[in-house]
Amino acid sequence: MRYPETIHASSEAMTFGQGGDAANDAAVQGAAGGGPLAAGPGDADAGLMEKFANGDAAAFEDLYRRHKGGVLRFFLRSLKDRDLAEELAQDVWAALIRARAGYRAEARFATWLYRLAQHRLIDHYRRAKLVGFSSLEDEEEALLPAAGVSAVTPEDVAHQRAAAARLVSLVEGLPLAQREAFLMQAEGGLSLAEIAEATGAGFETVKSRLRYAFARLRDGMQGYLP
């Protein structure tokens, strides 16, 4: 989970109500990326997907290994039920398999993948007649440092766990559209243009959603970030 680093980087550049829209827009661009929408030679995932479409099963295994965590977390942070989140994530991979023959690298693979995830989530809410989001599953262990990286004190661990719990709560509290844009950036690494393509929203609308999401998260994390 890269959220603390993402929010901290944004908080250094973003001062809402101070510095004007230019500073805020620069922060959102820096946090969400401004890469091109079209797939390019650097999109290794698109190459893997094309190999899979041509019958290379090992290429699918590589794609699954690289993106399974992000796709699952996208659903986990939108649903209260881990089993349901895993089911929807598997539905996305099943949809990918079914669509492989028609895949064209017209956009980054991640854009295409998270569009599938977004459509599956919308379909779930439509069928379940749900409105908004429920509580998130706590995954604060993702904030703990890797073994052998550095020694930490019990106080450090307690602080990190408290920060993780606070962050999960704040993400849960974001409005649906803001959360969706934030998770696509944080989990999928999508740029503003790619999020706009995946969600069908305008570029400026996505920028505004991310701006307000980062502001709410940053303000809510005061006292937890260095």
Side-chain angles (χ1 to χ4, degrees):
M1 183 164 63
R2 297 175 298 161
Y3 299 172
E5 292 81 0
T6 302
I7 297 169
H8 180 56
S10 300
S11 68
E12 292 180 338
M14 297 169 69
T15 307
F16 281 77
Q18 302 177 29
D21 290 339
N24 295 342
D25 290 349
V28 172
Q29 288 280 10
L37 189 61
D43 189 0
D45 290 333
L48 287 171
M49 185 62 195
E50 289 179 330
K51 288 181 179 179
F52 174 53
N54 291 322
D56 186 346
F60 172 79
E61 293 176 1
D62 287 342
L63 286 170
Y64 183 72
R65 182 171 57 253
R66 292 166 73 154
H67 293 281
K68 65 178 181 179
V71 172
L72 177 58
R73 287 189 296 272
F74 177 82
F75 289 112
L76 274 173
R77 286 161 177 76
S78 302
L79 303 164
K80 66 179 180 180
D81 188 327
R82 186 180 185 91
D83 289 339
L84 178 59
E86 291 177 345
E87 177 184 333
L88 297 189
Q90 289 305 310
D91 287 347
V92 169
W93 291 107
L96 180 150
I97 292 171
R98 291 193 299 270
R100 67 188 184 280
Y103 176 76
R104 298 292 182 272
E106 298 173 351
R108 273 186 59 204
F109 171 80
T111 306
W112 184 73
L113 177 64
Y114 279 88
R115 186 185 303 140
L116 293 179
Q118 184 218 20
H119 288 172
R120 184 64 189 93
L121 184 62
I122 290 173
D123 183 60
H124 164 71
Y125 281 126
R126 184 177 294 127
R127 292 184 180 186
K129 301 184 185 301
L130 296 177
V131 178
F133 288 95
S134 300
S135 60
L136 302 179
E137 189 150 331
D138 190 357
E139 293 186 357
E140 75 268 6
E141 67 273 6
L143 281 180
L144 298 179
V149 172
S150 61
V152 294
T153 67
E155 290 77 13
D156 292 332
V157 173
H159 177 80
Q160 290 170 331
R161 285 179 172 166
R166 174 63 174 165
L167 182 55
V168 166
S169 177
L170 289 169
V171 173
E172 178 190 19
L174 289 174
L176 185 150
Q178 292 178 24
R179 174 191 285 186
E180 182 179 68
F182 175 77
L183 290 176
M184 285 187 174
Q185 186 278 315
E187 297 294 356
L190 273 62
S191 69
L192 290 168
E194 289 164 343
I195 296 170
E197 172 69 14
T199 61
F203 183 90
E204 292 299 325
T205 298
V206 171
K207 182 188 293 185
S208 177
R209 289 172 180 174
L210 280 171
R211 180 188 301 128
Y212 285 112
F214 279 123
R216 292 175 70 142
L217 295 176
R218 181 206 64 207
D219 290 346
M221 291 298 292
Q222 293 295 325
Y224 292 95
L225 295 175

